[in-house]
Amino acid sequence: MKLERSGCGELNAARAGERVLLKGWVHRRRDHGGVIFLDLRDRSGVVQVVVRRDQQSRDHESTAASALEPCRLEWVVEVEGVVMLRAKEAVNPDLATGDLEVVVERAAVLARSQPLPFPIDGSTDASEETRLRYRFLDLRRSELQNNMVLRHRVTAEALNYFDAHRFLQIETPMLTRSTPEGARDFLVPSRVHRGSFYALPQSPQLFKQILMCSGFERYVQIARCFRDEDLRADRQPEFTQIDVEMSFVDEAEIQALTEGLLVRLFAVAGIEVPVPFPRLAYRDAMLRYG
């Protein structure tokens, strides 16, 4: 029976004695003579795999050792072996899977890597230019992967929140006509209508208004926006925003909805936000800030 691939970071002590198939990148390599230790990494995490090449190793383990012998950092490998609990003195408390290891019985190299321009296994002092040139390597670093995962979870939490409040997530067109807004449009030439252009949306404002007039009442979209303007600290020519439109509401309902959303989104990052938010009267805002 063919084994299903397991995630490196999904293994735990309850799976001791189980045969598993792992595929991932070589994160670290330690050669102790008769034994090679590889930290194998995929998106789910890191686990230590053990490759024996000493005299006590069995034939299939010797074959696996031969396959993995030349492995270096960021090579992509496939290993099959048995999950074993580590001895108490060998447990790594800094690793989620630090109380176990996988003893390799079969292995294969799927792809080789050239020497790395900067380290993947921690922070790096490489220049931004180098990191962008090797963006596919930079995105393997845990710091950036965690950022991507957090963004995904925040997006999912936002859509779940709005779904619970009876909003519909509706996708709006990207190729549209130019509408007067605060910045210049990015233009896309039309192949069919020579001399004519589409404009990329600065925001879905026109479509949101159409949806409200059409009776959808509550709309939300994680919207991509395009504005041909100078860079700002928190904005570039293309960016993403949470777009919301509601009918038949007053200020208090909008404030309560937004407050609840922000509390939920900050909680995803482990930040507790005190509620209720302070409210500033219009007169006080004008007197204080003009």
Side-chain angles (χ1 to χ4, degrees):
M1 181 178 176
K2 185 178 179 180
L3 282 175
E4 292 291 330
R5 184 177 74 88
S6 297
C8 295
E10 296 170 356
L11 301 181
N12 54 52
R15 300 181 67 174
E18 184 179 332
R19 189 177 184 85
V20 295
L21 173 66
L22 305 174
K23 299 182 183 183
W25 287 261
V26 175
H27 192 59
R28 292 187 182 92
R29 182 184 189 275
R30 300 177 298 283
D31 192 334
H32 289 193
V35 182
I36 302 174
F37 294 96
L38 301 178
D39 285 355
L40 198 62
R41 183 193 76 243
D42 64 11
R43 202 193 79 189
S44 66
V46 178
V47 68
Q48 177 174 281
V49 301
V50 181
V51 189
R52 291 195 176 94
R53 60 184 174 197
D54 53 25
Q55 293 181 348
Q56 283 75 37
S57 63
R58 290 167 285 187
D59 290 342
H60 55 74
E61 290 175 337
S62 297
T63 303
S66 298
L68 298 180
E69 176 80 40
C71 276
R72 294 298 182 265
L73 299 184
E74 295 307 299
W75 284 34
V76 184
V77 301
E78 169 184 311
V79 301
E80 193 174 313
V82 178
V83 179
M84 305 290 288
L85 294 178
R86 296 196 203 185
K88 184 177 295 187
E89 62 273 11
V91 169
N92 182 358
D94 298 326
L95 198 62
T97 58
D99 57 346
L100 56 89
E101 60 192 14
V102 176
V103 178
V104 178
E105 297 182 351
R106 185 188 67 79
V109 173
L110 303 181
R112 297 169 179 250
S113 172
Q114 296 179 2
L116 302 176
F118 53 83
I120 303 296
D121 60 348
S123 59
T124 177
D125 57 1
S127 68
E128 186 174 35
E129 181 181 357
T130 300
R131 289 172 52 201
L132 289 173
R133 181 179 180 185
Y134 297 98
R135 187 61 166 166
F136 68 99
L137 293 177
D138 197 32
L139 287 172
R140 295 182 191 178
R141 296 194 300 116
S142 59
E143 179 184 358
L144 272 71
Q145 293 224 338
N146 291 339
N147 289 346
M148 293 290 192
V149 171
L150 178 60
R151 182 186 173 97
H152 159 75
R153 290 176 177 164
V154 166
T155 300
E157 187 69 22
L159 293 178
N160 288 337
Y161 175 82
F162 284 111
D163 181 63
H165 287 78
R166 299 183 293 107
F167 282 78
L168 291 179
Q169 201 233 145
I170 301 175
E171 188 177 277
T172 55
M174 284 293 183
L175 297 175
T176 181
R177 64 176 297 170
S178 180
T179 57
E181 294 192 46
R184 291 180 295 272
D185 293 317
F186 284 107
L187 301 179
V188 180
S190 170
R191 178 184 60 84
V192 177
H193 305 285
R194 295 179 63 85
S196 296
F197 296 81
Y198 298 103
L200 298 180
Q202 296 189 33
S203 78
Q205 191 63 43
L206 179 66
F207 302 110
K208 291 189 293 183
Q209 293 166 351
I210 291 173
L211 289 168
M212 291 304 101
C213 291
S214 302
F216 284 94
E217 299 186 15
R218 293 190 169 209
Y219 144 95
V220 66
Q221 182 182 184
I222 310 295
R224 202 72 176 158
C225 302
F226 304 87
R227 297 180 185 175
D228 186 5
E229 60 186 2
D230 295 335
L231 294 175
R232 304 183 191 178
D234 61 348
R235 184 178 293 174
Q236 57 188 17
E238 54 175 307
F239 58 94
T240 306
Q241 64 188 27
I242 300 178
D243 259 37
V244 179
E245 199 77 34
M246 305 167 67
S247 297
F248 312 121
V249 290
D250 57 25
E251 293 93 331
E253 290 177 272
I254 296 172
Q255 290 168 351
L257 179 84
T258 306
E259 179 178 282
L261 172 67
L262 292 174
V263 169
R264 288 273 292 271
L265 297 190
F266 275 92
V268 173
I271 302 171
E272 184 177 351
V273 178
V275 290
F277 293 177
R279 303 297 202 266
L280 195 62
Y282 175 81
R283 176 181 174 81
D284 294 334
M286 294 304 294
L287 290 173
R288 187 179 302 180
Y289 302 111

